[in-house]
Amino acid sequence: MTEPSSLKGYHSGGHKQAALFSNGYKPKSKNTTSSLFLPLLKLITHFFISTSVPPSFDPSKTMVRPANLNSLSKTLPSPVPTLPSHQAARKRSTVNEHLGLISDNLQERRLTTLQASRRTALSLASVALIGSFGNGFALAEDNGYWLTGPIPVPPIYNKIANEKTGTRSFVRSGIYIADIKVKGSMYRLRKYAFDLLALGDLIGKDVLNYVRKYLRLKGTFMYYDFDKVISAASASDKQPLTDLANRLFDKFEKLEDAVKKEDLPETQSRYQDTTIVLQEVMDRMA
C-alpha cells in the first residue's frame, strides 16, 4: 500500500506530476509556430534595415519635425468660405425678411433709409443735369421756344377780327402759339376743322359748358393760324382766304352765344350752319 502524498489535493496516482511541478518543470507549449516565427521575423527585419540605411544616418538630424498645426490652419484655405461681417449680416436680414422674423421698427427704419437714399440720388442727378446743361440755357432764349417773360400775344395782320370789338369773342388769352410755319398752320387748320366736325355727337343739355370750352380752344388756334396762312398767301388768294376766315369766325361767335344762353335747339341749329364752313376749310387746306 502506498504512502499518502505530502502534497495536498493530489491523489496517489499523481505523485509523479506533483514532483515535476515542485521541481520547476514547465510543460512545453503546443503552439511551436510562434516560437519559430518571431526569431525569423527579427532576423529579416535586421537584414533589411542594415542594407537600406546608410551608416551615417542620424535620425535626430534627418527626421522632419511635426508641423505647427496652428500655422498650418492659418495658411490652408478654409473648406467653407466665410463672408465678411456686413455681408453676413445682410444675408441674415434677408433670410429673416423671407421668414417674416423682422420687426416692424426695423422695417420702418429701412424704409426711411431707402427713401432718404432715393432722395439723395435724385438730388445728385438733378445737380449733375443742371451742371451739364446750364450752358445751354442762355442759347435757348433765341430759339423761339424759351420764354423769359409773360406769354406773348401774336399780332393780327389781316382783317379777320370783328369790326365792332376788334377781336373775336371766342379767342382765349394765356395760350402760347408756337411758330410752326405756314405748312404747320395749314395742317392744324385742317386737323381742327375735322375735330370740330365730330363735335355734333357731344352736344347735349348737360355738356354745353364743355362744348364752349372745346370750341374756344380750337377756335383760338385757328384764328392765329388763318392770319399766318393769309399773310403767306399770294395776292390772288388773300381775299378768298380772308372771306373764308371771316365766315367761319362769325359762325363760331354765333355758336358760342347760343351755348352761353344754354339754348339747346339754337345751339344745334348754329352748329349745323358751322359744319358747312368747316368742310370748306378742310377742302381748302388739303
Side-chain angles (χ1 to χ4, degrees), residues 10-255:
Y10 294 93
H11 54 80
S12 59
H15 289 172
K16 187 181 289 187
Q17 294 180 358
L20 290 175
F21 280 107
S22 63
N23 292 331
Y25 172 79
K26 294 181 180 180
K28 293 182 179 181
S29 176
K30 294 182 180 180
N31 190 6
T32 59
T33 304
S34 61
S35 62
L36 294 175
F37 179 72
L38 290 177
L40 182 60
L41 182 61
K42 291 180 180 179
L43 180 61
I44 294 173
T45 305
H46 179 71
F47 173 76
F48 279 105
I49 292 175
S50 61
T51 56
S52 60
V53 179
S56 61
F57 176 74
D58 188 0
S60 63
K61 295 181 179 180
T62 57
M63 289 182 66
V64 180
R65 295 182 180 180
N68 188 0
L69 296 179
N70 293 330
S71 61
L72 184 63
S73 63
K74 294 179 180 178
T75 56
L76 290 177
S78 176
V80 180
T82 58
L83 296 174
S85 59
H86 63 279
Q87 293 184 2
R90 187 181 301 173
K91 186 175 181 180
R92 287 194 300 271
S93 63
T94 304
V95 172
N96 291 336
E97 287 178 0
H98 285 296
L99 296 178
L101 300 177
I102 189 169
S103 61
D104 295 337
N105 294 331
L106 184 58
Q107 287 183 352
E108 292 179 359
R109 289 198 300 269
R110 288 190 176 180
L111 289 175
T112 304
T113 306
L114 182 61
Q115 292 176 358
S117 61
R118 287 179 179 176
R119 294 192 190 101
T120 305
L122 291 175
S123 301
L124 294 176
S126 301
V127 171
L129 289 174
I130 292 174
S132 60
F133 296 105
N135 296 329
F137 288 159
L139 300 177
E141 296 180 0
D142 301 330
N143 62 7
Y145 296 98
W146 184 264
L147 299 178
T148 58
I151 297 177
V153 178
I156 299 298
Y157 299 101
N158 299 280
K159 296 180 179 180
I160 57 175
N162 193 329
E163 295 180 356
K164 297 180 180 179
T165 60
T167 183
R168 291 292 181 175
S169 61
F170 57 85
V171 174
R172 291 183 53 183
S173 60
I175 297 179
Y176 177 67
I177 308 297
D179 185 8
I180 58 175
K181 309 304 179 183
V182 178
K183 290 185 178 180
S185 296
M186 293 178 64
Y187 172 78
R188 187 158 59 186
L189 283 171
R190 185 173 69 253
K191 176 68 169 56
Y192 282 9
F194 177 80
D195 293 340
L196 290 175
L197 283 173
L199 186 63
D201 297 335
L202 302 177
I203 295 177
K205 185 65 176 179
D206 299 331
V207 295
L208 292 180
N209 185 31
Y210 299 102
V211 172
R212 181 169 179 263
K213 290 181 179 180
Y214 194 74
L215 176 65
R216 294 189 64 191
L217 179 63
K218 299 292 184 179
T220 300
F221 282 96
M222 296 181 75
Y223 181 69
Y224 293 108
D225 286 339
F226 250 119
D227 183 73
K228 184 175 294 185
V229 171
I230 293 171
S231 299
S234 61
S236 58
D237 293 334
K238 282 184 180 295
Q239 190 61 41
L241 288 173
T242 303
D243 295 340
L244 178 61
N246 284 320
R247 287 192 293 114
L248 177 66
F249 297 148
D250 290 341
K251 299 294 182 181
F252 279 175
E253 288 185 332
K254 293 178 180 179
L255 177 60

